[in-house]
Amino acid sequence: MNIFDGQSYFSFDALSLFFLFVIFVISLPSAVYSFGYLKGEYSSAKIKLSWVLLALFILSMALVVTVSDALIFLVAWEIMSLVSYFLVVFDTTQEKSVQAGTIYIVMTHIGTAFLIAGFLLMHKYAHGFGFAAIKNASALMPAAVRNITFLLLLIGFGTKAGIVPLHIWLPYAHPQAPSHISSIMSGVMIKTAIYGIIRFVIYILGVDSFWWAALILILAVISCLVGVIYALMEHDLKRLLAYHSVENIGIILLGVGLAMLFLAAQMPFLAVFSLIAGLYHLVNHAIFKGLLFLCAGSVYKATHTRDIEKLGGLIKKMPQTSVYFLFGAMAFSALPPLNGFVSEWLTLQAFFLGAFSFSGGAKLLLGICAAMLALTSGLAAACFVKAFGITFLAQPRSRHAEEAKEVPLSMKAGMFFLSALTVIFGLASVPIVKLLSKVSGAATGISVSGMRFSLNNFILSPQIAKSNCLSAFWLGAVLIALGTTGFIVYYSLRRKRPVIYQTWDCGYYKINARNEYTATAFSKPFRIAFSFFLLPYRKTQKIRESFYHVKSFAYETHTTPVFKKYIYDPVLALVFKSAKSMRRIQPGSIHLYLAYIFATVLLLIIFMHKF
């Protein structure tokens, strides 16, 4: 469906409509949430400005996923990047916001430069920027040009998505933006890069090389593990969630990479099924990550801190927020019957089916990817045990936590809506899979009319054998029944034997917050297990009154930011060194500058005459 007198400027196919749905289903509750979140934080003029920027942000994302012209796509992409930059630096009084915004705008423009290069290569053969023209001309591209175009697009979109090692901006930008903006940036904006990969690589270029898929699968696995390991080490609630965005982008790309692998192998059913898994996790991640960022914003609004070491006991002060955070954490940890379980289970099934269909190196690669996905899910569950337990349970660790109060109704409404969706998208998985099959078929160019992805109204597995099937509905019913039974048994026993001890007191009667488990202690086994990558180090300081008496002892432990230290810092040092050397050709002489201009014009004349 096109508008503007039949010209292909906009297109509303199944893929575009799917991403439009994701944009608005997350943006709507986040906008409602902002009414309570912004009140009292900024002046009325700045609040109005934030709403204008929010509207432009949503509109720009909608344009990105609906235009059908590469040039207009770049304009919409740039508007989205600039507006999101202004939202990241919205709190201009904070130096960290400005720093985060600078890192973000530099990285996003580096990605845009690669996209421009890729689009220009496609334009050379299509002689236009329309998606249809580029798609028709892609078959005429030499193999080397197609490979270069793929790499340029992967780097360009991968920078926005936060694929490792291009993720450096993400843990800086997301924590500094207002929480409802963080919800949209993590839940929606980085997914526009996934749209770009599907649209330009799978739909327009077409996948005929196995190494394309293998590269995406390897980058996806690395992103999964790096994201979840760094999240385990974080004590800043929003930075923790930001690193989990890196992890989940990896999980989404596992489905996309599998679809590309099966397309190259001429396996249409598995290609469609794998892309269904990737798209399902995309919308699921948007829901539970949007919810968790809103919950983190509520905690910050009530306590004025994001450091979970300074929280604790919030389940009594903020019971509704605690329940909503728990829903998000359970969905994130892929616990049935919530939505995160369904999409990760489908992704695992796609790996198993692929491993049975291939042999040799491909089978080994898929087996390793499946194992790493399972490991990632386990580590994510451990991370959210830490995040929920240290933040909401035990005793308050600061005055702010002791004085915390529940947030306003508008904030609770946004969180309630998204927490309800975690249940709906888990139990209604079969009709959702059927809808996503149409999106997947449209994106891959495969007819799905004869494909069957379920045996009855509740079965998720595409397998024909009934023993391989899993029902989210009945699984949820069993879990609810077991939970209800446990609740009844607990309260019946409690009436006979009242509880006389405090939570987390381990039998001690005068324990305080200083004696309870901390986030640092919780993450230490993982810090030891992954020390080969995290490279932890310690700082200690003793202040003595005398040789035999220590007045105080300070102990700090940190991990080494590997990518920043060994990749980005050397690159920045090289850039600054090059900039200093370039100063030699800029001495401030007008005569020298005129000579530069003359030489440039002369070279252009020679170049034009030659060609």
Side-chain angles (χ1 to χ4, degrees):
M1 173 177 150
N2 299 314
I3 60 176
F4 287 123
D5 300 326
Q7 295 187 37
S8 300
Y9 293 116
F10 291 85
S11 179
F12 297 93
D13 60 5
L15 185 64
S16 295
L17 291 175
F18 168 75
F19 276 90
L20 275 178
F21 169 78
V22 176
I23 289 170
F24 288 110
V25 82
I26 304 303
S27 299
L28 177 62
S30 298
V32 173
Y33 176 95
S34 69
F35 286 97
Y37 181 81
L38 295 173
K39 187 177 181 180
E41 297 292 326
Y42 305 101
S43 65
S44 59
K46 200 160 187 179
I47 291 174
K48 292 176 182 177
L49 174 62
S50 73
W51 288 335
V52 171
L53 291 174
L54 176 60
L56 287 174
F57 190 31
I58 297 170
L59 178 61
S60 63
M61 289 188 293
L63 284 174
V64 164
V65 301
T66 54
V67 296
S68 59
D69 184 275
L71 191 58
I72 302 175
F73 178 91
L74 281 174
V75 173
W77 186 267
E78 186 66 11
I79 293 172
M80 178 183 71
S81 300
L82 289 175
V83 174
S84 56
Y85 162 76
F86 289 125
L87 288 168
V88 169
V89 300
F90 189 73
D91 192 354
T92 53
T93 59
Q94 295 289 331
E95 184 179 348
K96 288 184 177 180
S97 297
V98 178
Q99 180 188 11
T102 303
I103 295 172
Y104 169 62
I105 200 66
V106 169
M107 289 300 297
T108 196
H109 279 93
I110 290 173
T112 302
F114 280 92
L115 290 181
I116 292 172
F119 288 171
L120 289 176
L121 271 179
M122 292 187 288
H123 177 270
K124 179 180 179 181
Y125 292 89
H127 304 292
F129 287 104
F131 289 177
I134 296 173
K135 181 175 174 61
N136 293 332
S138 61
L140 304 175
M141 292 183 183
V145 175
R146 286 171 56 84
N147 291 337
I148 293 172
T149 303
F150 163 71
L151 290 174
L152 291 172
L153 294 176
L154 180 60
I155 295 171
F157 289 122
T159 304
K160 181 70 73 177
I163 301 173
V164 174
L166 304 171
H167 68 291
I168 190 71
W169 65 269
L170 203 147
Y172 289 96
H174 284 192
Q176 296 306 318
S179 292
H180 63 289
I181 300 301
S182 299
S183 174
I184 298 174
M185 288 181 68
S186 180
V188 182
M189 186 193 74
I190 61 175
K191 309 300 192 323
T192 59
I194 303 297
Y195 167 82
I197 292 174
I198 296 173
R199 175 68 75 187
F200 289 97
V201 175
I202 295 180
Y203 179 75
I204 291 180
L205 280 182
V207 181
D208 56 7
S209 299
F210 282 97
W211 74 266
W212 290 13
L215 178 60
I216 285 186
L217 287 174
I218 292 169
L219 290 175
V221 166
I222 294 172
S223 297
C224 287
L225 292 175
V226 169
V228 74
I229 290 170
Y230 274 128
L232 272 165
M233 300 301 110
E234 274 296 334
H235 304 329
D236 183 306
L237 197 54
K238 290 183 71 174
R239 280 178 66 90
L240 180 149
L241 295 175
Y243 276 118
H244 275 299
S245 295
V246 177
E247 170 214 342
N248 278 268
I249 282 294
I251 296 176
I252 295 167
L253 284 175
L254 286 176
V256 174
L258 270 176
M260 294 172 61
L261 184 69
F262 294 133
L263 283 172
Q266 301 295 316
M267 298 179 181
F269 177 85
L270 292 179
V272 171
F273 181 66
S274 299
L275 193 54
I276 288 173
L279 293 175
Y280 205 154
H281 196 73
L282 186 148
V283 66
N284 285 344
H285 175 254
I287 292 169
F288 59 64
K289 179 54 72 64
L291 169 62
L292 287 168
F293 265 115
L294 296 187
C295 291
S298 298
V299 170
Y300 179 75
K301 177 82 172 178
T303 63
H304 305 288
T305 182
R306 302 193 306 258
D307 187 354
I308 61 178
E309 297 282 36
K310 298 178 181 179
L311 299 173
L314 295 184
I315 196 168
K316 296 180 180 179
K317 306 290 184 178
M318 307 173 67
Q320 294 183 52
T321 299
S322 302
V323 171
Y324 300 143
F325 191 98
L326 183 60
F327 268 95
M330 292 172 63
F332 208 120
S333 303
L335 296 180
L338 301 181
N339 60 345
F341 163 76
V342 180
S343 51
E344 290 199 26
W345 170 243
L346 290 176
T347 306
L348 277 172
Q349 282 190 89
F351 276 114
F352 296 148
L353 294 171
F356 294 142
S357 304
F358 286 104
S359 60
K363 182 187 286 287
L364 178 62
L365 174 63
L366 296 184
I368 292 173
C369 289
M372 294 302 100
L373 175 59
L375 174 62
T376 298
S377 298
L379 293 176
C383 187
F384 277 98
V385 169
K386 178 190 81 170
F388 182 81
I390 306 299
T391 302
F392 293 98
L393 303 181
Q395 298 184 36
R397 296 178 180 83
S398 66
R399 180 177 58 85
H400 292 300
E402 290 177 352
E403 298 174 356
K405 295 180 181 179
E406 193 58 90
V407 294
L409 178 61
S410 63
M411 298 174 68
K412 290 186 288 188
M415 292 185 289
F416 172 79
F417 178 79
L418 292 176
S419 61
L421 289 184
T422 62
V423 179
I424 294 171
F425 273 71
L427 297 181
S429 52
V430 168
I432 292 172
V433 166
K434 291 180 178 178
L435 289 172
L436 289 178
S437 67
K438 299 178 181 178
V439 180
S440 181
T444 55
I446 297 172
S447 174
V448 297
S449 57
M451 295 183 182
R452 190 180 180 190
F453 294 95
S454 62
L455 298 176
N456 56 50
N457 290 331
F458 305 121
I459 301 303
L460 300 179
S461 173
Q463 295 295 293
I464 300 302
K466 207 164 188 174
S467 60
N468 292 328
C469 297
L470 179 68
S471 170
F473 178 85
W474 291 115
L475 184 58
V478 169
L479 290 174
I480 291 171
L482 289 174
T484 304
T485 303
F487 188 78
I488 294 172
V489 170
Y490 169 75
Y491 270 93
S492 63
L493 293 176
R494 185 177 181 180
R495 282 186 296 180
K496 296 178 182 179
R497 185 179 179 183
V499 178
I500 59 175
Y501 297 109
Q502 297 294 323
T503 307
W504 284 29
D505 64 0
C506 302
Y508 295 96
Y509 64 94
K510 283 190 177 181
I511 198 168
N512 57 37
R514 287 174 59 85
N515 305 115
E516 292 180 331
Y517 219 53
T518 64
T520 304
F522 187 95
S523 61
K524 184 173 182 178
F526 301 100
R527 189 163 58 250
I528 294 172
F530 296 104
S531 59
F532 64 91
F533 170 69
L534 294 170
L535 306 177
Y537 59 95
R538 304 180 184 90
K539 291 182 179 179
T540 58
Q541 182 182 13
K542 293 181 181 179
I543 298 178
R544 298 177 180 270
E545 286 187 344
S546 65
F547 180 79
Y548 298 101
H549 183 235
V550 177
K551 182 179 180 181
S552 65
F553 182 86
Y555 173 88
E556 294 182 21
T557 181
H558 301 276
T559 57
T560 303
V562 175
F563 295 96
K564 180 178 181 296
K565 182 176 181 180
Y566 295 107
I567 297 178
Y568 288 96
D569 285 350
V571 170
L572 282 175
L574 180 62
V575 169
F576 282 116
K577 185 177 179 180
S578 302
K580 287 182 180 179
S581 63
M582 292 295 290
R583 292 176 61 184
R584 298 174 183 175
I585 65 172
Q586 294 182 343
S589 171
I590 188 65
H591 302 291
L592 187 60
Y593 296 155
L594 289 173
Y596 291 157
I597 295 172
F598 176 76
T600 302
V601 172
L602 185 61
L603 288 173
L604 286 174
I605 292 172
I606 296 172
F607 180 81
M608 292 176 65
H609 178 72
K610 184 176 180 180
F611 290 94

